Amino acid sequence: MPFVREKANPLITPEQVRPWLEGFRVMGTFNAGAARFGEEILLLLRVSERPPEAAEGFVNVPEMTQREGKWTVGIRTLSLGDPRYDFSDPRKVLDRETGSYVFLTSISHLRLARSRDGVHFTVEDRPLIRPEGELEAFGAEDARITRIGDTYYINYTAVSRHGITTALAETEDFARVRRRGVIFVTENRDVCIFPERIGGKYHALVRPVPRQIGEAKIWTAASEDLLHWGEYAPLPLPRFDWDGMRNGGGAVPLKTDRGWLILYHGADRESNRYSMGAALLAAEDPRKVLAVSREPVLYASAPYETEGFYPNVVFSCGALLEGDTVWMYYGGADRVMGLARANLTALLDGLERT
Amino acid sequence: MPFVREKANPLITPEQVRPWLEGFRVMGTFNAGAARFGEEILLLLRVSERPPEAAEGFVNVPEMTQREGKWTVGIRTLSLGDPRYDFSDPRKVLDRETGSYVFLTSISHLRLARSRDGVHFTVEDRPLIRPEGELEAFGAEDARITRIGDTYYINYTAVSRHGITTALAETEDFARVRRRGVIFVTENRDVCIFPERIGGKYHALVRPVPRQIGEAKIWTAASEDLLHWGEYAPLPLPRFDWDGMRNGGGAVPLKTDRGWLILYHGADRESNRYSMGAALLAAEDPRKVLAVSREPVLYASAPYETEGFYPNVVFSCGALLEGDTVWMYYGGADRVMGLARANLTALLDGLERT
């Protein structure tokens, strides 16, 4: 594999991080967006938290409610004997009659971690982006950061009983954040916005998940203003065994001399193992695939990737090009953050032309 | 019910219509968009066609292929004994391994019907919009027509193995049509574009269908140019038994003195019966619901609605306001076209404030 793991992995674990919510436990610090910001490397972590353990026969779930115009996360205690609910999946509570999600058992927010060397991170104590509003009632997840000019655009997954949408926020200083609303409607996540206009327009990788026909895979979209999107087309990315079940955008695309390097995730049909792949898209038209990795460029094999909240997952939301080295940050097993590096030239040379 | 059926119903049936495709049979003439065009009332019909019957033990399916840059619909003959395919649903052929759609057994295009009185229609022999390209390989369905200035915008459902998307086309004369591409990505259909800017922007009802969380229901979206859309939010429409399973946009919204009248479809959880409901949205902000019909304004009960290709369906894609009368055109049982009329004032008076 072209990517080599950092020896200090895992770089960030739940044990190092203080919960934001009173009495909650941090279950995961993972799937971070990444950005270079002056002398620092920033990770915008997904921090998932769970309410304290309930008494036997009960389960505590986070519940977001609006009081006097303010959204707060509280705890709701459900009886495991309540006939309205299906508790069989420890991650969620379903309505028995309709099958729809009523609660998740954890809730995520987005929190900054700062580093000078890209390896040793200090995690802040408070969220940069906390879930807020009816469309984020189940949490804010999986940020990607795209720098355009002096603005950092942060897209993230907004989850609620209404569905899984992608929301946009922006910041210049990683202190004040402006929310810009939902840019892709349910079910759509794993959105990666390209860091400059191409052919006069902004472009993005999106990952719609249809119910009736079609499969979960990467499409492209275009925009004039980053807020309104159209011109949707499936990305003609060859599929392999390792991403035979689904794929989706990973890190924000990196500009190289040969075109756009994308690092994307895929899961296989046999074991639902999440790996990372790489592809090269045409510099002047990111809807064209020039080359692709036949095998994963990183797959789950380290213990912190094969064991965790959701085992056998490596999942990148952010990578940086530092000189001729690709630094790929990634979540391991929906629990911790890892880093793996690859030489850019070797990585591109290893791709097969399509 | 406020709507009264036209005595001449059904207005258009498959028996009256010549197939477009050589040797195919017309199965349905239904779910038409509607527009007033000078002295005429136009319906843009969904015409579904099926290949000729195959020999025993085989089934013929339409197959769209590209030859020398041109997309044509041919016939593929499949053996019912072919272990790769699941033929249990007569409307589609599934891949046994992945469960995904490989073929539909019919293919739809959009065809004009013209009338002076809105009741007696002459159906053209050729499509106005035929399915074309990789994203329409399974057909073009369920048009809505929105007039803005002198341009008629036609959105329709583009179906393929990639999923169910919404595409936009435009015309001034219903003779030459310009295609504008996919405006909503899979899975999204039942799109209704409002006929003027509201608060400086275009607005639409959209109907995303999520897989994992959430249900099929109406959201709103906004746009500056009709091609790129964002600002998605769920429409806070109260739900009732009659639309408890799903709802979606129906006719293009009608402007009234009291606000925007929308006629939308819903299906119930018990019997999957499709009915039409009505709601009033705020004139200055169509994301606000002012009033709604607690009971359907039309439900399937006539024989041409309860029996057909897909029984117990009334499904409108277009309505006109002629004086103080709402003319609602609708598909019956995915087979024929019907018309029902209601007095506007009585219809609005019958809605309940939310």
Side-chain angles (χ1 to χ4, degrees):
Chain A
M1 285 190 298
F3 275 94
V4 176
R5 288 174 181 80
E6 159 63 37
K7 285 190 195 118
N9 275 358
L11 302 185
I12 304 172
T13 66
E15 292 73 23
Q16 297 168 239
V17 176
R18 293 167 65 161
W20 159 52
L21 295 162
E22 182 79 28
F24 278 52
R25 299 162 287 165
V26 175
M27 307 300 292
T29 53
F30 61 117
N31 296 6
R36 184 159 263 295
F37 181 63
E39 295 298 301
E40 291 180 302
I41 288 177
L42 301 184
L43 293 181
L44 186 53
L45 291 168
R46 170 176 170 187
V47 177
S48 66
E49 300 188 354
R50 204 165 185 165
E53 213 57 86
E56 205 177 313
F58 294 87
V59 64
N60 284 334
V61 293
E63 182 179 39
M64 204 160 91
T65 51
Q66 196 179 17
R67 277 178 214 165
E68 295 160 14
K70 208 174 171 260
W71 291 90
T72 52
V73 181
I75 298 172
R76 173 99 160 243
T77 303
L78 305 174
S79 164
L80 292 171
D82 193 322
R84 288 173 298 175
Y85 303 128
D86 171 355
F87 297 98
S88 58
D89 186 326
R91 293 172 297 169
K92 56 207 181 196
V93 179
L94 303 180
D95 182 308
R96 271 195 196 282
E97 197 187 328
T98 65
S100 59
Y101 287 53
V102 192
F103 296 103
L104 298 189
T105 53
S106 63
I107 186 165
S108 293
H109 65 269
L110 305 175
R111 202 188 300 193
L112 274 181
R114 298 173 177 272
S115 174
R116 292 264 160 183
D117 63 5
V119 174
H120 300 89
F121 283 88
T122 307
V123 181
E124 298 196 341
D125 283 343
R126 309 279 307 163
L128 180 70
I129 297 178
R130 45 157 297 176
E132 207 169 274
E134 208 187 336
L135 295 181
E136 300 180 4
F138 290 168
E141 305 178 352
D142 296 1
R144 272 85 172 177
I145 306 173
T146 300
R147 181 181 179 171
I148 302 176
D150 288 333
T151 302
Y152 294 83
Y153 293 90
I154 300 166
N155 63 261
Y156 61 95
T157 309
V159 187
S160 73
R161 67 182 172 83
H162 296 289
I164 296 168
T165 68
T166 296
L168 187 70
E170 53 183 57
T171 185
E172 279 80 37
D173 55 10
F174 289 96
R176 283 153 307 193
V177 173
R178 295 180 301 278
R179 289 169 188 262
R180 304 303 304 271
V182 173
I183 55 173
F184 297 104
V185 75
T186 185
E187 186 166 339
N188 210 321
R189 64 166 124 193
D190 299 326
V191 168
C192 301
I193 298 173
F194 287 74
E196 59 185 64
R197 283 179 189 261
I198 308 162
K201 285 177 186 158
Y202 297 108
H203 292 260
L205 308 178
V206 303
R207 213 289 298 274
V209 184
R211 185 151 68 192
Q212 212 184 338
I213 308 184
E215 52 186 359
K217 66 179 181 183
I218 302 171
W219 291 56
T220 57
S223 174
E224 305 272 0
D225 63 3
L226 297 169
L227 299 177
H228 304 86
W229 293 84
E231 304 179 49
Y232 295 97
L235 184 68
L237 200 55
R239 303 291 292 275
F240 304 103
D241 277 350
W242 69 268
D243 74 338
M245 187 164 66
R246 73 172 72 89
N247 64 21
V252 169
L254 299 172
K255 194 177 189 180
T256 77
D257 288 347
R258 302 191 208 173
W260 294 101
L261 170 64
I262 65 166
L263 300 165
Y264 63 99
H265 71 263
D268 66 352
R269 220 170 262 290
E270 285 70 37
S271 62
N272 202 28
R273 183 181 77 165
Y274 277 75
S275 306
M276 293 300 303
L280 189 69
L281 311 182
E284 74 289 353
D285 185 355
R287 295 166 295 192
K288 281 189 193 154
V289 180
L290 303 178
V292 68
S293 59
R294 178 170 289 276
E295 299 292 334
V297 295
L298 187 75
Y299 59 82
S301 62
Y304 52 87
E305 298 160 356
T306 57
E307 291 157 45
F309 188 73
Y310 196 91
N312 295 314
V313 172
V314 293
F315 192 98
S316 176
C317 298
L320 301 172
L321 196 51
E322 299 281 313
D324 196 39
T325 305
V326 180
W327 292 46
M328 181 170 72
Y329 292 94
Y330 65 94
D334 279 13
R335 209 182 91 81
V336 302
M337 279 307 298
L339 164 65
R341 298 183 191 83
N343 175 271
L344 176 64
T345 308
L347 179 60
L348 295 178
D349 285 348
L351 302 182
E352 274 183 39
R353 292 222 180 138
T354 51
Chain B
M1 285 190 299
F3 275 94
V4 176
R5 288 174 181 80
E6 159 63 36
K7 284 190 197 120
N9 274 359
L11 302 186
I12 304 171
T13 66
E15 292 72 22
Q16 295 168 241
V17 175
R18 293 167 65 161
W20 160 52
L21 295 162
E22 182 78 29
F24 278 51
R25 299 162 287 166
V26 175
M27 307 301 291
T29 53
F30 60 117
N31 295 7
R36 184 159 262 296
F37 182 63
E39 295 298 302
E40 291 180 302
I41 288 177
L42 302 183
L43 293 181
L44 188 53
L45 291 169
R46 171 176 170 188
V47 178
S48 66
E49 301 187 354
R50 203 164 186 167
E53 213 60 85
E56 205 176 315
F58 295 87
V59 64
N60 284 333
V61 293
E63 182 179 39
M64 205 161 90
T65 51
Q66 196 180 17
R67 277 180 214 164
E68 295 161 14
K70 205 171 173 258
W71 291 91
T72 52
V73 181
I75 297 171
R76 173 99 160 240
T77 303
L78 305 174
S79 163
L80 292 171
D82 193 322
R84 289 173 297 175
Y85 303 129
D86 171 356
F87 296 97
S88 59
D89 186 326
R91 292 171 300 171
K92 56 207 181 197
V93 179
L94 303 179
D95 181 308
R96 271 195 196 282
E97 197 188 328
T98 65
S100 60
Y101 288 53
V102 192
F103 297 102
L104 298 190
T105 53
S106 64
I107 187 165
S108 293
H109 65 269
L110 304 176
R111 201 187 301 193
L112 274 181
R114 298 173 177 271
S115 174
R116 293 264 160 183
D117 63 6
V119 173
H120 301 89
F121 283 87
T122 307
V123 181
E124 299 196 340
D125 283 342
R126 308 280 307 163
L128 181 69
I129 297 178
R130 45 155 297 176
E132 206 169 275
E134 210 187 334
L135 296 181
E136 300 180 3
F138 289 169
E141 305 178 352
D142 295 1
R144 273 83 173 177
I145 306 172
T146 300
R147 181 182 180 171
I148 302 175
D150 287 333
T151 302
Y152 293 84
Y153 292 91
I154 300 165
N155 64 260
Y156 61 94
T157 308
V159 187
S160 73
R161 67 182 173 85
H162 297 289
I164 296 168
T165 68
T166 296
L168 187 69
E170 53 184 56
T171 186
E172 279 80 37
D173 55 10
F174 288 96
R176 283 153 307 194
V177 173
R178 294 180 301 278
R179 289 169 188 261
R180 304 305 303 270
V182 174
I183 56 172
F184 297 104
V185 75
T186 185
E187 187 166 336
N188 210 321
R189 64 166 124 193
D190 299 326
V191 168
C192 301
I193 298 173
F194 287 74
E196 60 186 63
R197 283 180 190 262
I198 308 163
K201 284 177 186 159
Y202 297 108
H203 291 260
L205 308 177
V206 303
R207 213 290 298 275
V209 183
R211 185 152 67 190
Q212 213 183 339
I213 307 185
E215 52 185 359
K217 66 179 180 183
I218 302 171
W219 291 55
T220 57
S223 174
E224 305 273 1
D225 63 3
L226 297 169
L227 298 177
H228 304 87
W229 294 83
E231 304 178 51
Y232 295 97
L235 184 68
L237 201 55
R239 303 291 291 274
F240 304 103
D241 277 350
W242 69 267
D243 74 338
M245 187 164 68
R246 73 172 73 88
N247 65 21
V252 169
L254 299 172
K255 194 176 189 180
T256 78
D257 288 346
R258 302 190 207 173
W260 294 102
L261 170 64
I262 64 166
L263 300 165
Y264 63 100
H265 72 263
D268 67 352
R269 221 170 260 289
E270 285 69 38
S271 63
N272 202 27
R273 184 181 75 165
Y274 276 75
S275 306
M276 293 299 303
L280 189 69
L281 310 182
E284 73 288 355
D285 186 355
R287 294 165 297 193
K288 282 190 192 153
V289 179
L290 303 178
V292 68
S293 59
R294 179 170 289 274
E295 299 291 335
V297 295
L298 187 74
Y299 59 82
S301 62
Y304 52 87
E305 298 160 357
T306 57
E307 290 158 44
F309 189 72
Y310 195 91
N312 294 314
V313 172
V314 292
F315 192 98
S316 175
C317 298
L320 301 171
L321 195 51
E322 299 281 314
D324 195 39
T325 304
V326 180
W327 292 46
M328 181 170 72
Y329 292 94
Y330 65 94
D334 279 14
R335 210 183 90 82
V336 302
M337 278 307 298
L339 165 64
R341 298 184 191 84
N343 176 273
L344 176 64
T345 308
L347 179 61
L348 294 178
D349 286 347
L351 302 183
E352 273 183 39
R353 292 220 181 142
T354 52

